[in-house]
């Protein structure tokens, strides 16, 4: 399942939600190029505990053939957090979150610049 949400400005955070068979994932990040802080909240559909230490995040821009190295979000209380560059330029990006052998992919329209 893929969801796309258009940001209101280049500096505000955007939250996008997607589902896999087992998990619901909420990705919160600044939809702009350059280094960003990204937060991921993972819950189970069966309301069971989430027994993960990290979530892998891959960003690809299919229209331009761009991809960035995977960013790893590590557990911080009830969320996972990562810092780094997810997006190298403005445009529509596919972001895949790897959660315990399952993948959730969402789309994020990114604005140009450091905001």
């Amino acid at each position: 399942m893929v969801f796309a949400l258009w940001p209101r400005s280049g500096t505000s955070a955007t939250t996008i939600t997607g589902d896999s068979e087992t998990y619901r994932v909420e990705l919160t990040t600044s939809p702009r190029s350059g280094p960003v802080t990204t937060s991921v909240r993972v819950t189970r559909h069966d309301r069971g505990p989430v027994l993960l230490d990290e979530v892998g995040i891959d960003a690809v821009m299919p229209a331009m053939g761009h991809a960035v190295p995977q960013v790893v979000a590590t557990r911080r209380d009830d969320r996972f957090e990562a810092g780094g560059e997810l997006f190298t330029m403005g445009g529509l990006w596919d972001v895949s979150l790897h959660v315990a052998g399952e993948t959730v992919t969402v789309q994020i329209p990114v604005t140009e610049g450091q905001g």
Side-chain angles (χ1 to χ4, degrees):
M1 190 175 294
V2 175
F3 294 91
L5 182 65
W6 294 100
R8 283 181 260 154
S9 77
T11 59
S12 66
T14 295
T15 299
I16 300 183
T17 303
D19 294 283
S20 69
E21 184 176 329
T22 306
Y23 299 100
R24 168 156 284 210
V25 178
E26 294 176 7
L27 171 77
T28 302
T29 193
S30 294
R32 60 180 172 75
S33 60
V36 295
T37 299
T38 301
S39 175
V40 180
R41 184 169 188 263
V42 179
T43 55
R44 293 178 56 102
H45 295 302
D46 66 4
R47 302 191 197 284
V50 175
L51 304 174
L52 305 170
D53 293 323
E54 60 186 34
V55 173
I57 305 170
D58 291 314
V60 175
M61 185 183 207
M64 299 295 288
H66 295 305
V68 295
Q70 185 176 77
V71 174
V72 177
T74 56
R75 185 179 279 281
R76 302 273 192 265
D77 299 320
D78 67 335
R79 294 187 171 268
F80 299 83
E81 291 185 5
E85 188 169 19
L86 282 180
F87 316 113
T88 57
M89 65 183 298
L92 189 60
W93 286 78
D94 291 344
V95 179
S96 296
L97 301 124
H98 305 285
V99 182
E102 296 180 28
T103 301
V104 176
T105 301
V106 296
Q107 290 186 324
I108 300 178
V110 173
T111 58
E112 196 68 52
Q114 302 285 327

